Amino acid sequence: MLDPFTCLAAANTAFTLVKKVVKTGKEAEEVYKALSKWAGHVSDLQEWMGAEQKKPSIFKKITYKKSATAEAFDMLIAKKRLEEQEKEIKSMFYVGALCHLGIDGYREFIRQRREIKAKREKEVYEQFRRRKAFFHNTIMGGAITILVTILISMVWFLIDMITEASK
């Protein structure tokens, strides 16, 4: 897992690039590329904020790199910085360099982001269901194979005993 400060620093650097590209009046494609890079770093940071920590081994001593207070401050700083950057991007759509897209452009951006997020969550859930079904089917197939093998062995044993007894 990435370090939160690394993620935040990368997001800040990418956001600075976005502001620089917008300020110099570059082509819309370059602005979108810079925004895309920023969004990738923001995604990493949000993953860190929402991630569940891996459970330690029952035999390993539990230690933490930071205190709970320090970790809470790190998360608060990251959230506040992301909120500020989101507000600046919104203002770029309303009155800044992206104003040619206007409010409708911002709404379309938000709508597409939500659709992509929902699609990805659906894919993760679908993969989980498929994996669960695969393991279930594998276990059931193995159990059925074992039971059929035992049944065939029993029938074979009975046939063998009957033929031996009839001799």
Side-chain angles (χ1 to χ4, degrees):
M1 174 142 312
L2 294 173
D3 175 38
F5 285 117
T6 306
C7 292
L8 186 59
N12 287 337
T13 303
F15 189 72
T16 304
L17 176 66
V18 168
K19 289 172 32 177
K20 196 179 295 183
V21 166
V22 168
K23 194 174 197 178
T24 58
K26 298 283 184 175
E27 293 294 318
E29 184 176 333
E30 291 182 48
V31 174
Y32 293 139
K33 284 181 183 178
L35 279 171
S36 176
K37 190 174 184 180
W38 170 80
H41 294 302
V42 168
S43 177
D44 291 342
L45 189 57
Q46 288 173 337
E47 178 70 26
W48 168 78
M49 288 191 288
E52 292 182 20
Q53 299 299 322
K54 188 174 133 180
K55 293 186 180 186
S57 168
I58 60 173
F59 301 109
K60 192 174 185 180
K61 183 179 179 184
I62 297 176
T63 58
Y64 298 101
K65 294 178 182 176
K66 295 181 180 181
S67 69
T69 305
E71 196 169 325
F73 275 127
D74 290 348
M75 198 170 288
L76 180 67
I77 290 167
K79 282 183 182 180
K80 290 298 179 186
R81 187 65 186 136
L82 289 179
E83 287 174 6
E84 290 171 10
Q85 292 174 354
E86 285 278 347
K87 285 180 186 177
E88 285 187 51
I89 288 175
K90 186 175 183 179
S91 71
M92 284 180 201
F93 274 96
Y94 283 22
V95 293
L98 300 174
C99 67
H100 63 281
L101 299 172
I103 295 170
D104 292 333
Y106 182 73
R107 288 182 182 148
E108 178 68 16
F109 165 69
I110 295 298
R111 185 188 63 74
Q112 286 180 353
R113 185 166 68 175
R114 286 181 183 150
E115 285 178 2
I116 292 169
K117 185 177 180 181
K119 178 184 168 199
R120 289 179 179 177
E121 287 175 356
K122 183 180 176 184
E123 287 174 354
V124 167
Y125 176 71
E126 179 64 28
Q127 182 188 33
F128 174 75
R129 279 191 22 230
R130 288 183 17 232
R131 186 179 295 147
K132 188 175 177 181
F134 172 77
F135 285 120
H136 178 266
N137 292 341
T138 302
I139 290 171
M140 292 306 288
I144 290 171
T145 302
I146 290 170
L147 289 174
V148 167
T149 303
I150 291 172
L151 181 64
I152 290 172
S153 298
M154 288 174 56
V155 168
W156 184 264
F157 178 72
L158 286 173
I159 291 172
D160 191 41
M161 283 185 62
I162 292 172
T163 55
E164 286 292 324
S166 66
K167 285 185 184 180

